[in-house]
């Protein structure tokens, strides 16, 4: 139990001004009262502080059930001593961990003088109103039902779904049988057998030793039910869950038992045994979803438990997301077979709503879609093109596309297999459609250092995140002249983007204005959470003055992106059902210079849908990311 004492305890005789003032009954009685108040707050009386019939009271035992609640006691009043006795009123205040409402009350105290010494007269009622011998104090904390998470159209995403707590009930097996069943059950459920055997061994003879909680009708439940082993037991329950175990898992997070670390960092808001959000939106928005628990202080140990104090719980409030369940499931199905880290992000340009933000299994639980930081390669040429258009270039302007170009001793080349028909002096639209690196690098030599960052900001790539959880869009520093500038023009060097960031670029082009991606309806741009890390935090808004992309600029960029499909590397998208598809591919080299690998990208626009597809390692934008994009567009058509 924590201690917060607001009284000054004066013990023994204190000399002041040559006078021994504690000899006076009034002062001595007050000192005795103070000593009792101090002892109550500390849950331990000093020797002689109280007198009692029989053994001195064990305060620590009486308040052990209050856990980490803190108790302060102050003296409200003391009567004038008479006939060797005085009465006092003590004012108590308990702060219950996580509760906004303290438990305040007053109790009576009698002090008496025996053999010249003043002391409190023990009565359980001095600790709490109406407390009697044999009763102790305890606090009960009850969490309200956790609120759900809704998607587009208020369709439930996370809601109470049926689960089974699977384990061993030691009352239904002998000790030897329970230990024999433990490794068998653990193997069937796919959990650590040694740890579970230890847990069963250490549990009491009447314990239910939970192994795992699984969804109803899951493979784990089926495997456990097939066992013919004594003690295996199933407890039906509900948990707040998404439609499937993998549905937007990196984005949503999960709900689970609070870890010791979470409890410690919560500063009393979370206690052991609580269920809390772990990771993702469940953690970032835990306060809203969890609500506020109720508290009850009980006097236990008597004929029946009595409630001395209680507060009402406050239900959590649902969180509404812009996610479209069908599109999210389609994106996850497309990525399910991709081995490297991967992502698909889909945004509705007219609203900025994030309709899907799927991260493939290769990311091992990380939100590649919203927190990945990768060189965007030639998809960034949409940004470079905006800067070039603003410098006076037009889609019809002639540019030089050569097989290679050397900048400060470093050679840059076009992608392997670049069509020879698109080399030479060609319209800029042709260079864009075929992604001519050398043409972009030459054209970029005329740009000012601030032009690329300004174009990136105008397309929403370097804005701060407003998702409602830690996220990253992109970072585009002003390039230095030479190789840094050359590489930046083609989306490499220090240029970074997430799949969310490049989907935002595509959405801004489609809308003809700078689009801000939205995931949590009503979010104010909060970007902090208990699980946030420096690498997951969004950048500060770009210091570059933002000049949003205009409708006219967006129209030019859309024409150029349609050219990628009609005459460039995106021809395979020509027969995708629905409105015409506009696209841009991208690859970005990374890794050891002698064994370079490639990030591969493809972004697209189709009607009121902007999509970014990313694979951490692949052959090329059109050959690796392209088929994934096509599969997704056909699935949501």
């Amino acid at each position: 139990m924590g201690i917060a004492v607001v009284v000054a305890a004066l013990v023994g005789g204190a000399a002041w001004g040559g006078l021994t003032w504690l000899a006076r009954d009034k002062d001595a009685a007050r000192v005795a009262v103070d000593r009792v108040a101090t002892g109550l707050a500390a849950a331990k009386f000093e020797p002689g502080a109280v007198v009692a019939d029989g053994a001195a009271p064990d305060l620590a035992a009486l308040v052990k059930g209050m856990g980490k609640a803190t108790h302060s006691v102050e003296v409200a009043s003391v009567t004038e001593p008479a006939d060797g006795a005085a009465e006092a009123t003590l004012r108590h205040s308990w702060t219950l961990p996580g509760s906004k409402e303290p438990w305040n009350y007053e109790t009576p105290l009698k002090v008496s003088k025996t053999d010249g010494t003043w002391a409190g007269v023990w009565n359980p009622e001095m600790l709490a109103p109406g407390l009697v011998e044999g009763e102790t104090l305890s606090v009960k904390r009850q969490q309200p039902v956790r609120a759900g998470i809704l998607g587009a159209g208020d369709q439930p995403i996370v809601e109470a779904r049926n689960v089974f707590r699977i384990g061993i009930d030691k009352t239904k097996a002998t000790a030897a049988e329970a230990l024999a069943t433990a490794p068998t059950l653990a193997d069937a459920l796919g959990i650590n057998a040694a740890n579970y055997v230890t847990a069963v061994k250490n549990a009491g003879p009447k314990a239910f030793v939970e192994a795992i909680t699984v969804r109803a009708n899951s493979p784990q439940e089926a495997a456990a039910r097939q066992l013919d082993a004594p003690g295996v037991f199933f407890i039906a329950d509900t948990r707040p869950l998404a439609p499937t175990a993998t549905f937007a898992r990196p984005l949503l997070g999960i709900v689970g038992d609070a870890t010791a670390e979470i409890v410690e960092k919560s500063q009393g808001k979370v206690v052991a045994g609580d269920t809390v959000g772990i990771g993702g939106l469940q953690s970032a928005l835990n306060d809203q979803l969890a609500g506020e628990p109720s508290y009850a202080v009980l006097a236990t140990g008597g004929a029946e438990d009595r409630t001395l104090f209680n507060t009402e719980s406050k239900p959590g409030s649902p969180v509404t997301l812009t996610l479209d369940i069908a599109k999210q499931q389609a994106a996850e199905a497309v990525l399910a077979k991709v081995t490297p880290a991967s992502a698909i992000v889909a945004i509705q340009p007219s609203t900025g709503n994030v309709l899907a933000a799927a991260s493939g299994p290769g990311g091992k639980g990380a939100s590649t879609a919203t927190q990945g930081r990768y060189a965007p390669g030639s998809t960034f040429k949409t940004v470079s093109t905006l800067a070039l258009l603003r410098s006076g270039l037009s889609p019809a302007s002639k540019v030089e596309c050569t097989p290679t170009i050397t900048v400060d001793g470093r050679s840059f080349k076009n992608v392997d297999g670049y069509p020879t028909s698109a080399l030479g002096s060609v319209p800029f639209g042709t260079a864009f459609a075929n992604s001519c690196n050398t043409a972009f690098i030459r054209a970029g030599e005329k740009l000012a250092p601030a032009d690329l960052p300004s174009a990136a900001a105008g397309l929403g790539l370097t804005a701060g995140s407003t998702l409602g959880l830690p996220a990253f869009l992109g970072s585009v520093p002003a390039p230095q002249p030479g190789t840094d500038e050359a590489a930046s023009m083609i989306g490499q060097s220090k240029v970074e983007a997430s799949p969310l960031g490049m989907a935002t670029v595509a959405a801004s082009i489609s809308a003809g204005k700078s689009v801000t991606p939205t995931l949590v309806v009503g979010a104010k741009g909060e970007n902090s959470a208990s699980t946030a890390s420096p690498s997951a935090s969004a950048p500060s808004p770009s210091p570059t003055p933002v000049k949003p992309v205009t409708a006219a600029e967006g129209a030019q960029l859309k024409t150029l992106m349609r050219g990628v499909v009609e005459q460039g590397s995106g021809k395979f998208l020509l027969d995708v059902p629905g409105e015409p598809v506009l696209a841009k591919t991208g690859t970005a080299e990374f890794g050891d210079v002698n064994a370079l690998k490639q990030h591969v990208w493809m972004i697209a626009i189709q009607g009121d849908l902007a999509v970014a597809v990313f694979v951490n390692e692949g052959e090329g934008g059109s050959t690796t990311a392209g088929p994934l994009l096509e599969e997704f567009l056909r699935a949501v058509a």
Side-chain angles (χ1 to χ4, degrees):
M1 184 192 72
I3 302 170
V5 184
V6 294
V7 297
L10 302 177
V11 182
W16 183 42
L19 298 176
T20 307
W21 58 279
L22 283 181
R24 299 167 52 189
D25 278 352
K26 179 178 179 180
D27 294 332
R30 174 58 192 242
V31 170
V33 171
D34 286 342
R35 293 180 69 193
V36 171
T38 300
L40 289 171
K44 182 179 181 181
F45 286 131
E46 293 181 0
V50 297
V51 293
D53 293 334
D58 184 355
L59 275 183
L62 293 179
V63 298
K64 182 180 180 181
M66 296 299 290
K68 294 187 177 180
T70 58
H71 185 199
S72 63
V73 185
E74 63 182 16
V75 179
S77 65
V78 183
T79 64
E80 291 287 339
D83 299 326
E87 295 183 353
T89 299
L90 302 180
R91 186 174 294 128
H92 301 249
S93 183
W94 287 86
T95 300
L96 309 177
S99 175
K100 296 179 180 179
E101 186 176 343
W103 179 29
N104 298 326
Y105 57 89
E106 293 183 347
T107 62
L109 169 66
K110 290 183 179 181
V111 292
S112 65
K113 182 179 180 182
T114 304
D115 297 331
T117 300
W118 285 87
V121 178
W122 169 249
N123 185 323
E125 198 169 13
M126 71 170 65
L127 177 60
L131 199 68
V132 299
E133 290 292 350
E135 289 185 323
T136 61
L137 296 181
S138 64
V139 62
K140 182 179 179 182
R141 187 174 188 270
Q142 182 68 47
Q143 287 185 288
V145 175
R146 191 177 181 89
I149 296 178
L150 308 176
D154 289 336
Q155 293 297 306
I157 292 179
V158 176
E159 62 179 342
R161 300 179 192 272
N162 293 329
V163 298
F164 282 100
R165 298 167 55 203
I166 304 175
I168 293 175
D169 184 344
K170 296 185 72 172
T171 68
K172 299 183 181 301
T174 67
E177 288 173 336
L179 284 176
T181 296
T184 303
L185 178 60
D187 289 343
L189 295 174
I191 65 172
N192 186 290
N195 289 347
Y196 188 58
V197 169
T198 300
V200 172
K201 182 178 180 180
N202 293 339
K206 297 183 179 181
F208 169 72
V209 189
E210 184 172 338
I212 194 172
T213 299
V214 301
R215 291 170 181 262
N217 303 315
S218 67
Q220 295 101 320
E221 181 199 346
R225 290 194 182 279
Q226 290 176 0
L227 296 178
D228 183 17
V232 175
F233 196 68
F234 299 79
I235 298 177
D237 202 349
T238 61
R239 286 284 177 91
L241 297 172
T244 67
T246 58
F247 184 92
R249 176 74 171 264
L251 200 64
L252 296 175
I254 61 172
V255 178
D257 295 334
T259 64
E261 182 181 9
I262 291 174
V263 171
E264 182 179 354
K265 289 183 177 180
S266 73
Q267 298 181 333
K269 291 177 65 177
V270 178
V271 301
D274 278 0
T275 56
V276 297
I278 301 174
L281 287 163
Q282 289 285 7
S283 175
L285 302 177
N286 186 70
D287 288 351
Q288 177 179 342
L289 291 164
E292 297 177 7
S294 64
Y295 294 82
V297 177
L298 306 176
T300 62
E304 59 182 24
D305 292 350
R306 296 184 296 110
T307 300
L308 304 181
F309 171 77
N310 67 284
T311 65
E312 295 294 328
S313 64
K314 178 182 177 182
S317 300
V319 170
T320 300
L321 307 182
T322 60
L323 285 184
D324 181 294
I325 293 177
K327 289 182 174 59
Q328 179 72 22
Q329 290 177 324
E332 291 180 1
V334 169
L335 298 177
K337 58 184 177 292
V338 179
T339 301
S342 58
I344 295 177
V345 176
I347 294 176
Q348 185 178 46
S350 62
T351 62
N353 289 346
V354 177
L355 304 179
S359 299
K364 302 188 183 305
S367 184
T368 307
T370 61
Q371 296 181 5
R373 293 171 178 254
Y374 306 96
S378 290
T379 58
F380 186 75
K381 286 174 182 170
T382 52
V383 177
S384 303
T385 295
L386 178 59
L388 293 172
L389 292 174
R390 288 175 172 179
S391 74
L393 199 71
S394 74
S397 297
K398 289 298 182 75
V399 293
E400 290 297 318
C401 179
T402 56
T404 63
I405 184 173
T406 300
V407 179
D408 290 348
R410 177 182 171 185
S411 178
F412 293 84
K413 66 182 183 67
N414 296 319
V415 67
D416 293 340
Y418 187 88
T420 56
S421 60
L423 292 171
S425 180
V426 298
F428 178 70
T430 298
F432 184 96
N434 293 279
S435 204
C436 180
N437 289 337
T438 60
F440 271 82
I441 290 170
R442 282 192 178 87
E445 293 173 352
K446 300 177 182 179
L447 295 178
D451 288 348
L452 272 186
S454 177
L459 288 167
L461 181 58
T462 53
S465 166
T466 58
L467 285 194
L469 80 167
F472 171 77
L473 294 180
S475 175
V476 184
Q480 298 297 313
T483 57
D484 182 38
E485 179 182 72
S488 295
M489 285 294 294
I490 57 175
Q492 299 193 56
S493 189
K494 299 181 183 68
V495 175
E496 289 184 318
S498 67
L500 172 67
M502 291 314 300
T504 300
V505 168
S508 297
I509 291 171
S510 176
K513 63 181 181 179
S514 183
V515 169
T516 299
T518 299
L519 177 63
V520 179
V521 176
K524 303 296 184 183
E526 62 269 26
N527 204 37
S528 62
S530 60
T531 55
S533 64
S535 63
S537 300
S540 299
S542 171
T544 306
V546 177
K547 181 182 177 184
V549 63
T550 65
E553 291 168 337
Q556 287 184 299
L557 288 167
K558 284 191 284 186
T559 298
L560 290 167
M561 290 178 69
R562 180 59 180 170
V564 173
V565 177
E566 292 179 340
Q567 57 178 300
S569 57
K571 291 179 181 178
F572 60 91
L573 298 172
L574 279 169
D575 63 347
V576 171
E579 297 186 50
V581 178
L582 326 176
K584 184 70 189 80
T585 58
T587 59
E589 295 179 337
F590 72 99
D592 188 279
V593 68
N594 296 316
L596 288 172
K597 300 177 182 179
Q598 294 188 125
H599 300 312
V600 295
W601 298 78
M602 197 159 191
I603 60 174
I605 299 168
Q606 185 181 32
D608 198 17
L609 186 69
V611 184
V613 177
F614 167 79
V615 180
N616 189 39
E617 294 180 32
E619 295 179 359
S622 61
T623 55
T624 302
L628 303 178
L629 171 64
E630 180 181 7
E631 184 179 349
F632 175 73
L633 291 178
R634 290 184 182 278
V636 300

